[in-house]
Amino acid sequence: MSKDYTATAKEIIKLVGASNVESLTHCQTRLRFVVKDRKQIDDKQIEKIDGVKGVFFGSGQYQVIIGTGVVNDVYDAIDRLGEVNTIYGKDDAAGDTSTPDNDNKTVVQRIMAMLSGIFIPIIPVIAATGLFLGLQSAFTNAQVLKLFGATPADIPANINTVISVLTGTVFAFLPALIVWSTFRYFKGTPIVGIVIGLMLVSPSLPNAYAVAGGSAKAIMLFGAIPVIGSQGSVLTALVAGFLGSKLEIYFHKHVPNVLDQIITPFLTMLVTFGIMILGVGPIVHWIEGGMVAGVEGLINLPYGIGGFLVGAAYPLMVLIGIHQMMIAIETSLLAATHLNPLITLEAMYGFANLGVALAMFLRAKSKKAKATFIGAFSSQLFGVSEPTLFGLLIRYNFKPLIVTVVTSGLGAAVLSLLHVAANSYGLAVIPSYLMYIYNARDLIIYALVSVVTVAVAFVATNMFAIPKEILIADEPEKKAATADVRDDTLYAPVAGETVALSTVNDPVFSSGMMGQGVAIKPTEGKINVYAPQDGAMTVVADTGHAYGLTSKEGIEVLVHIGIDTVSLNGQGFSTAVSVGQDVHQGDLLGTFDTAAIEAAKLDDTVMVIVTNGQTMQVEPVAEQPVAAGDAIIAVQQVMEAAPAEA
């Protein structure tokens, strides 16, 4: 007999406010409220409700995280109360089945999603280039070579040539990479994009840096229009990628099919390149130069004021989700100057978080709170801030967030005063030190300031921001008299590239609120979803985007396809099983089409999560890529034999 969740439903509606709710939907893990006034909701009180794992505001919705299986029962209980407008699975009078996930996205949110989608794929190569530059500076430094009785002049020319290839290729062809990624984001043909990008930096055109330095002159087209390469121009590449991808889509629709394969790429490349060199490129480059100068001016404001503003603002930008735009600015700075002072200032956010999380961990008496804080601290060491942000900073009356904001700003102010700059981006906290090995002075200063930032945040948290509730010890639990350890394995439900769950673009999953597991970036096309274990189906979403099963060993597994894909209302999805059905590992659960998810500009990452793993050791074991049926998670669970009195 299922549990009655009427009391839980009443508590949630009372705290959210029935008159405050415009509509309510749910997916497989959370209730999704569209509310009139988010500020009137007390997050702390809702999190105290039995069964609530956490809260989160995003995509225009107030989301109450409940968990698989239970969320359906809580939603049904709310529906029975009849106090709010529940719209799950219903069409309105006009037949529009769209949800607030798409309808309520602001222009800023769309821009952030675009910048993230374009720049994140190229971050690894820029970070790697920064490491190459750092190693080059470290090993070709005159003082280092002196230890071996050599000088920079002793390095053979061919060695220098090889080093220049490693350190210079990405920046030389950066516009081509950006145009490629922009085409990819806007559903153009990536290979057409990369060719257009290569045209913009063709050796046949005068190099932009050489023209700026006076060692070369622009080509005067028709005697009046100056034509130069677009080396270092990020904004030019973005405009070219956007324009070219839209032109390609237009030509695909209007060019006869028999000619499409040749004429469409021909017209796309010709028209895009023509527009860019006929004045648009230089104008955009000039605008970008002004933006870079403005950012540099802010950073270099006297007395460290600019550094403090950037360092203090960055945690708030992460909180509201607009920090992705900084990637574009950082890329422009790197392209123009080969240095990135902006990431240096932003990085203090991560170190401040470390100090806050460490203080909370050491002071907490609650074992549950300690586990949350040490998890947040460990993730933050490698730059994953969502567990700290959502599980700590905004959970306890915002005092920890205030500590992070102030200490991050102070650390950034010192670094701006001392003109410290990275030579890359994409690395945070512990890995971030690699961005400064190119310069011993900057590395030493950055290391000292980062450690002091951790210490200041630690002390400030102890003095002002320790919440009283974590100082209360948990009630003693009954222990098992005997126990045996059982090892189990979960298998990949789809084929693709495995990624850490902590990196997915949804804080509810990345923070571990739903449990631990693995994410898989699936291959493109129509994908079959297979059972990751033997067991009974407990969840089969009507929309086909999520499946839950309980294995014969009692492991509760959630397979969640994509992020916010509930908004598709089943478009592109099909199911082959039903709730209560017994399945074997490898049985077909359903299918989904990545094209439908991409067309809606949603993320198609598949999450495989053990939702009852609090007493289990859940360890990812997969190497990427994986085929469907490959082992991806090892689960070690302790099976209690007989309870004993505490």
Side-chain angles (χ1 to χ4, degrees), residues 307 311 344-355 406-421 432-433 436 441-458:
T344 302
L345 310 182
E346 297 163 356
M348 293 303 102
Y349 157 64
F351 289 104
N353 278 351
L354 283 181
V406 174
T407 53
S408 175
L410 291 173
V414 174
L415 291 169
S416 66
L417 278 171
L418 298 175
H419 304 291
V420 177
S432 70
Y433 294 113
Y436 302 89
R441 170 194 175 273
D442 283 13
L443 176 60
I444 292 171
I445 293 173
Y446 179 80
L448 289 174
V449 173
S450 64
V451 171
V452 171
T453 298
V454 174
V456 171
F458 178 85

mmCIF file of all heavy atoms in Angstrom, residues 307 311 344-355 406-421 432-433 436 441-458:
data_model
loop_
_atom_site.group_PDB
_atom_site.id
_atom_site.type_symbol
_atom_site.label_atom_id
_atom_site.label_comp_id
_atom_site.label_asym_id
_atom_site.label_seq_id
_atom_site.Cartn_x
_atom_site.Cartn_y
_atom_site.Cartn_z
ATOM 1 N N GLY A 307 39.165 45.203 -9.604
ATOM 2 C CA GLY A 307 39.333 43.794 -9.247
ATOM 3 C C GLY A 307 38.313 43.351 -8.226
ATOM 4 O O GLY A 307 37.745 42.259 -8.333
ATOM 5 N N GLY A 311 35.639 40.348 -8.786
ATOM 6 C CA GLY A 311 35.684 39.205 -7.880
ATOM 7 C C GLY A 311 34.418 39.040 -7.065
ATOM 8 O O GLY A 311 33.963 37.921 -6.819
ATOM 9 N N THR A 344 41.744 35.322 -13.626
ATOM 10 C CA THR A 344 42.495 35.430 -12.371
ATOM 11 C C THR A 344 41.612 35.995 -11.265
ATOM 12 O O THR A 344 41.614 35.508 -10.130
ATOM 13 C CB THR A 344 43.725 36.325 -12.568
ATOM 14 O OG1 THR A 344 44.538 35.780 -13.611
ATOM 15 C CG2 THR A 344 44.547 36.422 -11.303
ATOM 16 N N LEU A 345 40.856 37.032 -11.600
ATOM 17 C CA LEU A 345 39.982 37.666 -10.608
ATOM 18 C C LEU A 345 38.786 36.770 -10.291
ATOM 19 O O LEU A 345 38.386 36.637 -9.132
ATOM 20 C CB LEU A 345 39.498 39.021 -11.134
ATOM 21 C CG LEU A 345 40.591 39.970 -11.671
ATOM 22 C CD1 LEU A 345 39.977 41.291 -12.102
ATOM 23 C CD2 LEU A 345 41.663 40.196 -10.619
ATOM 24 N N GLU A 346 38.210 36.153 -11.308
ATOM 25 C CA GLU A 346 37.049 35.279 -11.108
ATOM 26 C C GLU A 346 37.405 34.046 -10.275
ATOM 27 O O GLU A 346 36.569 33.517 -9.545
ATOM 28 C CB GLU A 346 36.503 34.828 -12.460
ATOM 29 C CG GLU A 346 35.976 35.957 -13.327
ATOM 30 C CD GLU A 346 35.836 35.556 -14.800
ATOM 31 O OE1 GLU A 346 36.233 34.423 -15.142
ATOM 32 O OE2 GLU A 346 35.343 36.372 -15.579
ATOM 33 N N ALA A 347 38.665 33.599 -10.387
ATOM 34 C CA ALA A 347 39.076 32.358 -9.723
ATOM 35 C C ALA A 347 39.003 32.443 -8.210
ATOM 36 O O ALA A 347 38.908 31.414 -7.526
ATOM 37 C CB ALA A 347 40.492 31.991 -10.143
ATOM 38 N N MET A 348 39.035 33.658 -7.657
ATOM 39 C CA MET A 348 38.992 33.783 -6.201
ATOM 40 C C MET A 348 37.666 33.283 -5.627
ATOM 41 O O MET A 348 37.574 32.950 -4.448
ATOM 42 C CB MET A 348 39.249 35.227 -5.795
ATOM 43 C CG MET A 348 40.671 35.702 -6.090
ATOM 44 S SD MET A 348 41.955 34.673 -5.284
ATOM 45 C CE MET A 348 42.503 33.658 -6.662
ATOM 46 N N TYR A 349 36.641 33.245 -6.451
ATOM 47 C CA TYR A 349 35.346 32.687 -6.039
ATOM 48 C C TYR A 349 35.509 31.246 -5.566
ATOM 49 O O TYR A 349 34.989 30.847 -4.519
ATOM 50 C CB TYR A 349 34.381 32.784 -7.219
ATOM 51 C CG TYR A 349 33.211 31.829 -7.207
ATOM 52 C CD1 TYR A 349 32.241 31.889 -6.213
ATOM 53 C CD2 TYR A 349 33.060 30.877 -8.221
ATOM 54 C CE1 TYR A 349 31.151 31.017 -6.223
ATOM 55 C CE2 TYR A 349 31.974 30.017 -8.234
ATOM 56 C CZ TYR A 349 31.029 30.089 -7.234
ATOM 57 O OH TYR A 349 29.955 29.236 -7.245
ATOM 58 N N GLY A 350 36.240 30.448 -6.324
ATOM 59 C CA GLY A 350 36.436 29.048 -5.971
ATOM 60 C C GLY A 350 37.221 28.888 -4.678
ATOM 61 O O GLY A 350 36.897 28.031 -3.849
ATOM 62 N N PHE A 351 38.255 29.707 -4.487
ATOM 63 C CA PHE A 351 39.057 29.604 -3.268
ATOM 64 C C PHE A 351 38.264 30.075 -2.045
ATOM 65 O O PHE A 351 38.387 29.505 -0.956
ATOM 66 C CB PHE A 351 40.343 30.405 -3.426
ATOM 67 C CG PHE A 351 41.305 29.780 -4.393
ATOM 68 C CD1 PHE A 351 41.468 30.288 -5.676
ATOM 69 C CD2 PHE A 351 42.044 28.659 -4.033
ATOM 70 C CE1 PHE A 351 42.343 29.710 -6.570
ATOM 71 C CE2 PHE A 351 42.928 28.063 -4.929
ATOM 72 C CZ PHE A 351 43.078 28.587 -6.200
ATOM 73 N N ALA A 352 37.443 31.108 -2.212
ATOM 74 C CA ALA A 352 36.587 31.548 -1.113
ATOM 75 C C ALA A 352 35.608 30.432 -0.735
ATOM 76 O O ALA A 352 35.359 30.182 0.454
ATOM 77 C CB ALA A 352 35.833 32.815 -1.512
ATOM 78 N N ASN A 353 35.071 29.747 -1.734
ATOM 79 C CA ASN A 353 34.166 28.623 -1.467
ATOM 80 C C ASN A 353 34.848 27.532 -0.652
ATOM 81 O O ASN A 353 34.237 26.912 0.223
ATOM 82 C CB ASN A 353 33.662 28.023 -2.779
ATOM 83 C CG ASN A 353 32.504 28.792 -3.376
ATOM 84 O OD1 ASN A 353 31.952 29.688 -2.739
ATOM 85 N ND2 ASN A 353 32.130 28.455 -4.588
ATOM 86 N N LEU A 354 36.129 27.278 -0.947
ATOM 87 C CA LEU A 354 36.866 26.264 -0.192
ATOM 88 C C LEU A 354 36.907 26.612 1.291
ATOM 89 O O LEU A 354 36.687 25.756 2.157
ATOM 90 C CB LEU A 354 38.300 26.138 -0.725
ATOM 91 C CG LEU A 354 38.525 25.375 -2.022
ATOM 92 C CD1 LEU A 354 40.008 25.356 -2.359
ATOM 93 C CD2 LEU A 354 38.003 23.955 -1.926
ATOM 94 N N GLY A 355 37.200 27.872 1.599
ATOM 95 C CA GLY A 355 37.280 28.298 2.991
ATOM 96 C C GLY A 355 35.946 28.166 3.702
ATOM 97 O O GLY A 355 35.879 27.720 4.859
ATOM 98 N N VAL A 406 32.406 38.694 -0.484
ATOM 99 C CA VAL A 406 33.351 39.690 0.040
ATOM 100 C C VAL A 406 34.790 39.195 -0.071
ATOM 101 O O VAL A 406 35.677 39.931 -0.537
ATOM 102 C CB VAL A 406 33.008 40.034 1.499
ATOM 103 C CG1 VAL A 406 34.075 40.964 2.087
ATOM 104 C CG2 VAL A 406 31.642 40.715 1.575
ATOM 105 N N THR A 407 35.060 37.956 0.343
ATOM 106 C CA THR A 407 36.439 37.465 0.303
ATOM 107 C C THR A 407 36.926 37.258 -1.122
ATOM 108 O O THR A 407 38.097 37.497 -1.428
ATOM 109 C CB THR A 407 36.572 36.154 1.102
ATOM 110 O OG1 THR A 407 35.591 35.216 0.648
ATOM 111 C CG2 THR A 407 36.375 36.402 2.575
ATOM 112 N N SER A 408 36.031 36.836 -2.004
ATOM 113 C CA SER A 408 36.406 36.726 -3.416
ATOM 114 C C SER A 408 36.789 38.092 -3.975
ATOM 115 O O SER A 408 37.782 38.232 -4.699
ATOM 116 C CB SER A 408 35.243 36.125 -4.211
ATOM 117 O OG SER A 408 35.523 36.118 -5.597
ATOM 118 N N GLY A 409 36.014 39.107 -3.616
ATOM 119 C CA GLY A 409 36.322 40.465 -4.073
ATOM 120 C C GLY A 409 37.644 40.970 -3.533
ATOM 121 O O GLY A 409 38.433 41.600 -4.262
ATOM 122 N N LEU A 410 37.925 40.699 -2.257
ATOM 123 C CA LEU A 410 39.184 41.173 -1.663
ATOM 124 C C LEU A 410 40.393 40.495 -2.314
ATOM 125 O O LEU A 410 41.401 41.152 -2.622
ATOM 126 C CB LEU A 410 39.177 40.895 -0.160
ATOM 127 C CG LEU A 410 38.183 41.728 0.675
ATOM 128 C CD1 LEU A 410 38.158 41.240 2.113
ATOM 129 C CD2 LEU A 410 38.541 43.215 0.607
ATOM 130 N N GLY A 411 40.303 39.182 -2.513
ATOM 131 C CA GLY A 411 41.411 38.490 -3.176
ATOM 132 C C GLY A 411 41.637 39.006 -4.582
ATOM 133 O O GLY A 411 42.783 39.210 -5.013
ATOM 134 N N ALA A 412 40.548 39.227 -5.314
ATOM 135 C CA ALA A 412 40.659 39.750 -6.679
ATOM 136 C C ALA A 412 41.235 41.154 -6.686
ATOM 137 O O ALA A 412 41.994 41.521 -7.600
ATOM 138 C CB ALA A 412 39.284 39.729 -7.345
ATOM 139 N N ALA A 413 40.891 41.974 -5.693
ATOM 140 C CA ALA A 413 41.423 43.337 -5.625
ATOM 141 C C ALA A 413 42.944 43.323 -5.513
ATOM 142 O O ALA A 413 43.646 44.103 -6.181
ATOM 143 C CB ALA A 413 40.805 44.076 -4.438
ATOM 144 N N VAL A 414 43.475 42.429 -4.668
ATOM 145 C CA VAL A 414 44.931 42.334 -4.507
ATOM 146 C C VAL A 414 45.586 41.906 -5.816
ATOM 147 O O VAL A 414 46.614 42.468 -6.244
ATOM 148 C CB VAL A 414 45.275 41.347 -3.376
ATOM 149 C CG1 VAL A 414 46.784 41.131 -3.294
ATOM 150 C CG2 VAL A 414 44.742 41.848 -2.045
ATOM 151 N N LEU A 415 45.003 40.920 -6.473
ATOM 152 C CA LEU A 415 45.586 40.435 -7.734
ATOM 153 C C LEU A 415 45.553 41.493 -8.823
ATOM 154 O O LEU A 415 46.483 41.594 -9.638
ATOM 155 C CB LEU A 415 44.832 39.180 -8.190
ATOM 156 C CG LEU A 415 45.044 37.934 -7.319
ATOM 157 C CD1 LEU A 415 44.064 36.837 -7.701
ATOM 158 C CD2 LEU A 415 46.476 37.433 -7.431
ATOM 159 N N SER A 416 44.485 42.313 -8.860
ATOM 160 C CA SER A 416 44.429 43.370 -9.872
ATOM 161 C C SER A 416 45.453 44.451 -9.581
ATOM 162 O O SER A 416 46.050 45.024 -10.502
ATOM 163 C CB SER A 416 43.020 43.967 -9.946
ATOM 164 O OG SER A 416 42.691 44.654 -8.750
ATOM 165 N N LEU A 417 45.678 44.754 -8.305
ATOM 166 C CA LEU A 417 46.702 45.741 -7.942
ATOM 167 C C LEU A 417 48.092 45.291 -8.375
ATOM 168 O O LEU A 417 48.929 46.111 -8.776
ATOM 169 C CB LEU A 417 46.689 45.965 -6.429
ATOM 170 C CG LEU A 417 45.651 46.939 -5.870
ATOM 171 C CD1 LEU A 417 45.626 46.869 -4.344
ATOM 172 C CD2 LEU A 417 45.946 48.362 -6.340
ATOM 173 N N LEU A 418 48.328 43.973 -8.314
ATOM 174 C CA LEU A 418 49.649 43.423 -8.646
ATOM 175 C C LEU A 418 49.738 42.972 -10.102
ATOM 176 O O LEU A 418 50.751 42.409 -10.509
ATOM 177 C CB LEU A 418 49.965 42.256 -7.711
ATOM 178 C CG LEU A 418 50.037 42.632 -6.212
ATOM 179 C CD1 LEU A 418 50.227 41.391 -5.353
ATOM 180 C CD2 LEU A 418 51.166 43.631 -5.972
ATOM 181 N N HIS A 419 48.659 43.213 -10.886
ATOM 182 C CA HIS A 419 48.644 42.941 -12.332
ATOM 183 C C HIS A 419 49.007 41.492 -12.661
ATOM 184 O O HIS A 419 49.816 41.216 -13.554
ATOM 185 C CB HIS A 419 49.587 43.898 -13.061
ATOM 186 C CG HIS A 419 49.290 45.345 -12.815
ATOM 187 N ND1 HIS A 419 48.160 45.966 -13.307
ATOM 188 C CD2 HIS A 419 49.961 46.285 -12.088
ATOM 189 C CE1 HIS A 419 48.152 47.225 -12.914
ATOM 190 N NE2 HIS A 419 49.216 47.456 -12.165
ATOM 191 N N VAL A 420 48.391 40.559 -11.952
ATOM 192 C CA VAL A 420 48.600 39.134 -12.218
ATOM 193 C C VAL A 420 47.616 38.695 -13.294
ATOM 194 O O VAL A 420 46.445 39.087 -13.275
ATOM 195 C CB VAL A 420 48.394 38.305 -10.932
ATOM 196 C CG1 VAL A 420 48.534 36.811 -11.219
ATOM 197 C CG2 VAL A 420 49.395 38.738 -9.871
ATOM 198 N N ALA A 421 48.083 37.878 -14.249
ATOM 199 C CA ALA A 421 47.216 37.427 -15.337
ATOM 200 C C ALA A 421 47.555 35.992 -15.716
ATOM 201 O O ALA A 421 48.722 35.588 -15.712
ATOM 202 C CB ALA A 421 47.363 38.335 -16.552
ATOM 203 N N SER A 432 44.095 25.439 -11.594
ATOM 204 C CA SER A 432 44.318 26.790 -12.121
ATOM 205 C C SER A 432 45.768 27.235 -11.998
ATOM 206 O O SER A 432 46.214 28.123 -12.731
ATOM 207 C CB SER A 432 43.408 27.798 -11.412
ATOM 208 O OG SER A 432 43.802 28.003 -10.067
ATOM 209 N N TYR A 433 46.527 26.635 -11.076
ATOM 210 C CA TYR A 433 47.932 27.037 -10.927
ATOM 211 C C TYR A 433 48.730 26.786 -12.207
ATOM 212 O O TYR A 433 49.742 27.446 -12.458
ATOM 213 C CB TYR A 433 48.571 26.292 -9.755
ATOM 214 C CG TYR A 433 47.994 26.672 -8.407
ATOM 215 C CD1 TYR A 433 47.258 25.754 -7.663
ATOM 216 C CD2 TYR A 433 48.170 27.945 -7.884
ATOM 217 C CE1 TYR A 433 46.722 26.099 -6.432
ATOM 218 C CE2 TYR A 433 47.640 28.302 -6.653
ATOM 219 C CZ TYR A 433 46.911 27.372 -5.931
ATOM 220 O OH TYR A 433 46.373 27.730 -4.723
ATOM 221 N N TYR A 436 49.710 29.653 -14.608
ATOM 222 C CA TYR A 436 50.661 30.698 -14.206
ATOM 223 C C TYR A 436 52.107 30.214 -14.202
ATOM 224 O O TYR A 436 53.003 30.992 -13.851
ATOM 225 C CB TYR A 436 50.294 31.220 -12.806
ATOM 226 C CG TYR A 436 48.896 31.771 -12.746
ATOM 227 C CD1 TYR A 436 47.820 30.939 -12.450
ATOM 228 C CD2 TYR A 436 48.633 33.103 -13.036
ATOM 229 C CE1 TYR A 436 46.527 31.418 -12.435
ATOM 230 C CE2 TYR A 436 47.340 33.592 -13.020
ATOM 231 C CZ TYR A 436 46.285 32.739 -12.716
ATOM 232 O OH TYR A 436 45.002 33.227 -12.710
ATOM 233 N N ARG A 441 56.837 34.934 -11.084
ATOM 234 C CA ARG A 441 56.299 35.993 -10.220
ATOM 235 C C ARG A 441 54.794 35.853 -10.059
ATOM 236 O O ARG A 441 54.273 35.860 -8.935
ATOM 237 C CB ARG A 441 56.627 37.366 -10.809
ATOM 238 C CG ARG A 441 55.899 38.518 -10.123
ATOM 239 C CD ARG A 441 55.980 39.800 -10.949
ATOM 240 N NE ARG A 441 55.188 40.867 -10.353
ATOM 241 C CZ ARG A 441 53.888 41.067 -10.572
ATOM 242 N NH1 ARG A 441 53.227 40.226 -11.374
ATOM 243 N NH2 ARG A 441 53.240 42.063 -9.988
ATOM 244 N N ASP A 442 54.090 35.719 -11.191
ATOM 245 C CA ASP A 442 52.638 35.620 -11.138
ATOM 246 C C ASP A 442 52.190 34.347 -10.419
ATOM 247 O O ASP A 442 51.198 34.353 -9.675
ATOM 248 C CB ASP A 442 52.050 35.651 -12.549
ATOM 249 C CG ASP A 442 52.029 37.061 -13.131
ATOM 250 O OD1 ASP A 442 52.684 37.950 -12.545
ATOM 251 O OD2 ASP A 442 51.368 37.278 -14.164
ATOM 252 N N LEU A 443 52.926 33.249 -10.623
ATOM 253 C CA LEU A 443 52.576 31.989 -9.972
ATOM 254 C C LEU A 443 52.676 32.115 -8.457
ATOM 255 O O LEU A 443 51.772 31.685 -7.720
ATOM 256 C CB LEU A 443 53.489 30.865 -10.466
ATOM 257 C CG LEU A 443 53.304 29.497 -9.786
ATOM 258 C CD1 LEU A 443 51.888 28.979 -9.985
ATOM 259 C CD2 LEU A 443 54.327 28.499 -10.320
ATOM 260 N N ILE A 444 53.756 32.720 -7.979
ATOM 261 C CA ILE A 444 53.962 32.858 -6.533
ATOM 262 C C ILE A 444 52.898 33.766 -5.919
ATOM 263 O O ILE A 444 52.293 33.446 -4.888
ATOM 264 C CB ILE A 444 55.375 33.398 -6.242
ATOM 265 C CG1 ILE A 444 56.421 32.345 -6.632
ATOM 266 C CG2 ILE A 444 55.514 33.771 -4.770
ATOM 267 C CD1 ILE A 444 57.843 32.852 -6.595
ATOM 268 N N ILE A 445 52.633 34.907 -6.581
ATOM 269 C CA ILE A 445 51.635 35.843 -6.048
ATOM 270 C C ILE A 445 50.250 35.203 -6.046
ATOM 271 O O ILE A 445 49.505 35.290 -5.060
ATOM 272 C CB ILE A 445 51.628 37.145 -6.863
ATOM 273 C CG1 ILE A 445 52.950 37.896 -6.670
ATOM 274 C CG2 ILE A 445 50.454 38.039 -6.461
ATOM 275 C CD1 ILE A 445 53.097 39.113 -7.562
ATOM 276 N N TYR A 446 49.906 34.553 -7.157
ATOM 277 C CA TYR A 446 48.587 33.916 -7.267
ATOM 278 C C TYR A 446 48.422 32.850 -6.189
ATOM 279 O O TYR A 446 47.366 32.757 -5.541
ATOM 280 C CB TYR A 446 48.428 33.306 -8.655
ATOM 281 C CG TYR A 446 47.110 32.600 -8.886
ATOM 282 C CD1 TYR A 446 45.958 33.319 -9.185
ATOM 283 C CD2 TYR A 446 47.010 31.208 -8.802
ATOM 284 C CE1 TYR A 446 44.744 32.672 -9.405
ATOM 285 C CE2 TYR A 446 45.805 30.557 -9.015
ATOM 286 C CZ TYR A 446 44.676 31.296 -9.317
ATOM 287 O OH TYR A 446 43.479 30.653 -9.519
ATOM 288 N N ALA A 447 49.469 32.044 -5.966
ATOM 289 C CA ALA A 447 49.395 30.989 -4.960
ATOM 290 C C ALA A 447 49.208 31.579 -3.569
ATOM 291 O O ALA A 447 48.375 31.107 -2.782
ATOM 292 C CB ALA A 447 50.654 30.125 -5.016
ATOM 293 N N LEU A 448 49.964 32.616 -3.253
ATOM 294 C CA LEU A 448 49.865 33.228 -1.928
ATOM 295 C C LEU A 448 48.487 33.852 -1.703
ATOM 296 O O LEU A 448 47.858 33.654 -0.654
ATOM 297 C CB LEU A 448 50.957 34.285 -1.752
ATOM 298 C CG LEU A 448 52.399 33.763 -1.619
ATOM 299 C CD1 LEU A 448 53.384 34.918 -1.609
ATOM 300 C CD2 LEU A 448 52.537 32.937 -0.337
ATOM 301 N N VAL A 449 48.004 34.602 -2.687
ATOM 302 C CA VAL A 449 46.710 35.275 -2.546
ATOM 303 C C VAL A 449 45.584 34.246 -2.451
ATOM 304 O O VAL A 449 44.640 34.409 -1.663
ATOM 305 C CB VAL A 449 46.463 36.248 -3.713
ATOM 306 C CG1 VAL A 449 45.043 36.821 -3.658
ATOM 307 C CG2 VAL A 449 47.474 37.381 -3.672
ATOM 308 N N SER A 450 45.679 33.171 -3.227
ATOM 309 C CA SER A 450 44.622 32.152 -3.181
ATOM 310 C C SER A 450 44.567 31.472 -1.823
ATOM 311 O O SER A 450 43.477 31.240 -1.277
ATOM 312 C CB SER A 450 44.835 31.119 -4.292
ATOM 313 O OG SER A 450 46.048 30.406 -4.109
ATOM 314 N N VAL A 451 45.716 31.172 -1.243
ATOM 315 C CA VAL A 451 45.754 30.531 0.083
ATOM 316 C C VAL A 451 45.214 31.482 1.148
ATOM 317 O O VAL A 451 44.440 31.077 2.029
ATOM 318 C CB VAL A 451 47.187 30.077 0.422
ATOM 319 C CG1 VAL A 451 47.271 29.619 1.877
ATOM 320 C CG2 VAL A 451 47.629 28.954 -0.504
ATOM 321 N N VAL A 452 45.598 32.756 1.057
ATOM 322 C CA VAL A 452 45.098 33.745 2.018
ATOM 323 C C VAL A 452 43.584 33.910 1.871
ATOM 324 O O VAL A 452 42.861 34.066 2.862
ATOM 325 C CB VAL A 452 45.820 35.100 1.829
ATOM 326 C CG1 VAL A 452 45.154 36.174 2.675
ATOM 327 C CG2 VAL A 452 47.289 34.969 2.214
ATOM 328 N N THR A 453 43.074 33.862 0.634
ATOM 329 C CA THR A 453 41.628 33.962 0.408
ATOM 330 C C THR A 453 40.886 32.810 1.086
ATOM 331 O O THR A 453 39.840 33.011 1.713
ATOM 332 C CB THR A 453 41.323 33.966 -1.103
ATOM 333 O OG1 THR A 453 41.939 35.114 -1.700
ATOM 334 C CG2 THR A 453 39.824 34.027 -1.364
ATOM 335 N N VAL A 454 41.434 31.596 0.974
ATOM 336 C CA VAL A 454 40.837 30.448 1.668
ATOM 337 C C VAL A 454 40.821 30.697 3.177
ATOM 338 O O VAL A 454 39.808 30.470 3.854
ATOM 339 C CB VAL A 454 41.609 29.148 1.347
ATOM 340 C CG1 VAL A 454 41.068 27.990 2.188
ATOM 341 C CG2 VAL A 454 41.506 28.813 -0.133
ATOM 342 N N ALA A 455 41.953 31.185 3.704
ATOM 343 C CA ALA A 455 42.064 31.405 5.146
ATOM 344 C C ALA A 455 41.090 32.473 5.631
ATOM 345 O O ALA A 455 40.433 32.315 6.671
ATOM 346 C CB ALA A 455 43.499 31.793 5.496
ATOM 347 N N VAL A 456 40.988 33.575 4.888
ATOM 348 C CA VAL A 456 40.086 34.661 5.291
ATOM 349 C C VAL A 456 38.634 34.185 5.257
ATOM 350 O O VAL A 456 37.847 34.475 6.171
ATOM 351 C CB VAL A 456 40.276 35.892 4.380
ATOM 352 C CG1 VAL A 456 39.199 36.940 4.653
ATOM 353 C CG2 VAL A 456 41.657 36.495 4.594
ATOM 354 N N ALA A 457 38.258 33.455 4.212
ATOM 355 C CA ALA A 457 36.895 32.935 4.125
ATOM 356 C C ALA A 457 36.616 31.958 5.262
ATOM 357 O O ALA A 457 35.516 31.937 5.829
ATOM 358 C CB ALA A 457 36.683 32.247 2.775
ATOM 359 N N PHE A 458 37.608 31.147 5.601
ATOM 360 C CA PHE A 458 37.474 30.187 6.702
ATOM 361 C C PHE A 458 37.207 30.904 8.023
ATOM 362 O O PHE A 458 36.282 30.558 8.770
ATOM 363 C CB PHE A 458 38.746 29.345 6.793
ATOM 364 C CG PHE A 458 38.761 28.356 7.923
ATOM 365 C CD1 PHE A 458 38.177 27.110 7.779
ATOM 366 C CD2 PHE A 458 39.367 28.670 9.137
ATOM 367 C CE1 PHE A 458 38.183 26.199 8.820
ATOM 368 C CE2 PHE A 458 39.374 27.765 10.184
ATOM 369 C CZ PHE A 458 38.782 26.523 10.029
#
